[in-house]
Amino acid sequence: YTIYHIICYARFCKKLAANTVPCTNKQLINTYKQTAAEYNLRRIPDLKIQPHSKTAPFIIGFIHPRLILPKECYAQEDLYFILKHELTHYAQKDLWYKLFLTIANAIHWFNPLVWLMHSIADSDVEMACDEKVLKGMSYDRRKSYSEVILSCISACAPHSVLSTSYIGRVRQLKDRFANILTCPQKKTASFSLLGAALLIFFNSSLIHFTQAANLP
């Protein structure tokens, strides 16, 4: 499991390096900087364009983060939603959270409950991001936001699990859109706590099992 994801991540980054170029659109760069200013970030990801690939916008990279856009031309509102969504992921350190989930999944690769936790947590990360982006916005803007997400996903190619791009199952996407349009007060941290409890339980079980096996 670990070797597979390391190889996939390395190949994906190599492909990105060959197929992305720095953004030169001054208007897009200015919009990006203005949107980033809302978060008071000391450092923002490099803005890159991947013009020859069907992809949704995403952030990748732990040491040198990059925000990847598939093109330079967007409607102003669409661009604002896309940049705000990705920068929310970055500000919340969701890449590191996804790395933690992948490591937990690697350690407990034999446990179907941890696989389920990983899937649910991925969905919760997106819902939490959506809620933060849309806080205080009207229903019409929420609807516009959901249309932007749908258009991005419909043109999306596979990504690394260690990026902010999210392509879920149909049921997960339906739940996400319902969450956007109805804005329930979800406690998205609940599954994170569940995941932590599961890891503690199974680590303790493994320790007790090892100690018992060493007894005469």
Side-chain angles (χ1 to χ4, degrees), residues 1-2 5 97-107 118 161-162:
Y1 179 91
T2 304
H5 281 294
Y97 183 59
K98 284 174 174 279
L99 178 61
F100 166 77
L101 290 172
T102 304
I103 292 172
N105 211 160
I107 295 171
H118 194 169
V161 295
L162 298 178

Side-chain angles (χ1 to χ4, degrees), residues 10-129:
R11 286 180 174 176
F12 187 69
C13 289
K14 184 178 180 180
K15 185 177 179 180
L16 273 181
N19 295 324
T20 56
V21 295
C23 179
T24 57
N25 186 316
K26 292 183 179 180
Q27 184 177 357
L28 196 158
I29 293 172
N30 288 336
T31 303
Y32 179 49
K33 289 180 178 179
Q34 290 169 8
T35 307
E38 298 179 19
Y39 294 90
N40 296 317
L41 298 170
R42 288 188 293 178
R43 180 190 177 194
I44 60 175
D46 294 334
L47 187 60
K48 302 280 189 176
I49 306 297
Q50 191 179 19
H52 304 300
S53 177
K54 290 184 177 180
T55 181
F58 63 95
I59 290 178
I60 192 168
F62 298 95
I63 307 301
H64 301 292
R66 288 145 289 164
L67 196 163
I68 311 297
L69 294 177
K71 57 184 180 179
E72 291 185 309
C73 297
Y74 293 90
Q76 192 62 28
E77 185 176 52
D78 292 356
L79 180 62
Y80 174 74
F81 280 142
I82 289 169
L83 295 177
K84 192 170 178 67
H85 179 91
E86 296 304 328
L87 287 170
T88 298
H89 275 307
Y90 182 71
Q92 294 182 158
K93 303 187 186 306
D94 287 340
L95 274 177
W96 292 98
Y97 183 59
K98 284 174 174 279
L99 178 61
F100 166 77
L101 290 172
T102 304
I103 292 172
N105 211 160
I107 295 171
H108 296 275
W109 59 268
F110 54 86
N111 190 333
L113 291 179
V114 177
W115 286 81
L116 178 61
M117 177 204 75
H118 194 169
S119 177
I120 293 172
D122 270 339
S123 179
D124 275 356
V125 165
E126 291 302 322
M127 288 188 182
C129 182

